[in-house]
Amino acid sequence: MGAFIGALLYGAMKVDLALKGQVGVAGFPNRPRHEQDHGGQWGNVAVAVLCAAVALATVQPWGRSIPRWLLLAASWTIYAGLGAGAVVLMLRVLGRSELPAPTGWTGRLVA
């Protein structure tokens, strides 16, 4: 149930950011309103809803009607995406990526 609640909270945060027109990570500058593309945030909302459904399907009786291999494949795909996102963010913070680090973030992992 924790993964289900976490996915819903993540989705709610992304809805808020999409409605406000923000990029979604503290320290990233917001582009002028006419240059912003909010499709990415709404895509994150869709992914969060899918993640919540997969998490709930693993613990609810109705989830037994879904083939186990499909739930397992969906779960591992979600984990791989989360891991890739974490690695990319760390590379940016450490300055090992062509993409800039968020404003105010340092290359130190421990203060």
Side-chain angles (χ1 to χ4, degrees):
M1 285 305 275
F4 170 73
I5 293 169
L8 288 183
L9 290 174
Y10 176 80
M13 175 188 66
K14 290 299 181 176
V15 166
D16 180 56
L17 291 171
L19 292 175
K20 289 179 180 175
Q22 295 178 338
V23 175
V25 176
F28 280 102
N30 290 328
R31 293 179 292 178
R33 194 116 177 118
H34 67 280
E35 293 180 8
Q36 294 178 5
D37 173 23
H38 305 299
Q41 293 295 9
W42 292 113
N44 286 336
V45 172
V47 169
V49 170
L50 178 64
C51 291
V54 169
L56 198 57
T58 62
V59 296
Q60 293 296 313
W62 56 264
R64 292 187 184 127
S65 64
I66 301 171
R68 179 175 250 166
W69 66 267
L70 185 59
L71 284 176
L72 187 62
S75 296
W76 278 106
T77 301
I78 291 165
Y79 298 144
L82 289 171
V87 167
V88 168
L89 182 59
M90 280 298 132
L91 289 175
R92 290 178 75 178
V93 169
L94 295 172
R96 305 216 190 292
S97 170
E98 294 177 12
L99 299 170
T103 305
W105 290 36
T106 66
R108 296 178 310 184
L109 295 178
V110 179

